[in-house]
Amino acid sequence: MLGVAWPSVRYTFAIPLDFLAVLLVCTTIGYVTGSVTAGKIMARVGIGRTLFLSNMLAGIGLMGYAISPGWLFFAATGLLVGWTSGAVGASLNIFIASTGTLRVMNWLHAMYGVGATIGPLVMTAAIASRYGWRIGYGFAASLFFALGLAFIIVMDHMDFRGVA
């Protein structure tokens, strides 16, 4: 989504092109931190609660993008968006590698590809509308909130903690 949104985001905040590097550094720091901490969080609270928390925080992060009053807030929110991406990815990979089959792992990664394809299309539609990039991130946030809430239903049945 960011690749499609960036020219509009840049225009909104009146920032130079190279400020994208600042955002990418923030999201990368968040991603690496989320990837590294996911296992410990999952060991403590289980995968269901980890995925609930991560998806709700992803919704908050994306909503932060949508309502950002300025560039610094937008860039700082990238830390949270990156953290949640790393935490969800690592948690699901640990869970599937430990409990699933190669077929399930392939489906997991295929669905990542579907999301990576749909995201830019959603942002393109948002920018083409009269509402702009903010509504695109707002829509994405709502999907993460819905996914997080869906984990409430199965959270108690997903107590895998990744420890022997």
Side-chain angles (χ1 to χ4, degrees):
M1 293 180 81
L2 178 61
V4 174
W6 180 248
S8 299
V9 170
R10 184 177 162 238
Y11 177 79
T12 299
F13 297 128
I15 54 175
L17 178 63
D18 57 341
F19 274 38
L20 177 59
V22 174
L23 181 60
L24 294 177
V25 166
C26 289
T27 57
T28 300
I29 289 170
Y31 186 90
V32 170
T33 305
S35 296
V36 169
T37 59
K40 292 218 181 264
I41 295 168
M42 192 170 53
R44 175 166 247 165
V45 301
I47 187 153
R49 284 178 174 73
T50 301
L51 292 171
F52 165 74
L53 172 69
S54 298
N55 281 286
M56 296 307 281
L57 289 174
I60 291 168
L62 291 168
M63 192 55 69
Y65 277 175
I67 64 168
S68 286
W71 164 245
L72 287 178
F73 185 90
F74 190 92
T77 303
L79 289 166
L80 180 59
V81 170
W83 185 90
T84 59
S85 182
V88 167
S91 297
L92 285 173
N93 277 298
I94 291 168
F95 178 68
I96 300 300
S98 299
T99 64
T101 65
L102 288 175
R103 172 174 266 159
V104 174
M105 184 66 82
N106 284 336
W107 274 106
L108 172 69
H109 290 101
M111 292 303 103
Y112 176 86
V114 169
T117 301
I118 292 172
L121 296 174
V122 167
M123 186 57 75
T124 299
I127 291 171
S129 77
R130 61 185 174 138
Y131 300 108
W133 64 269
R134 291 181 187 273
I135 199 74
Y137 280 121
F139 179 75
S142 68
L143 293 177
F144 276 94
F145 285 135
L147 187 58
L149 292 174
F151 278 109
I152 290 174
I153 299 167
V154 296
M155 193 165 26
D156 291 334
H157 303 290
M158 294 183 74
D159 196 37
F160 176 82
R161 294 174 185 260
V163 291

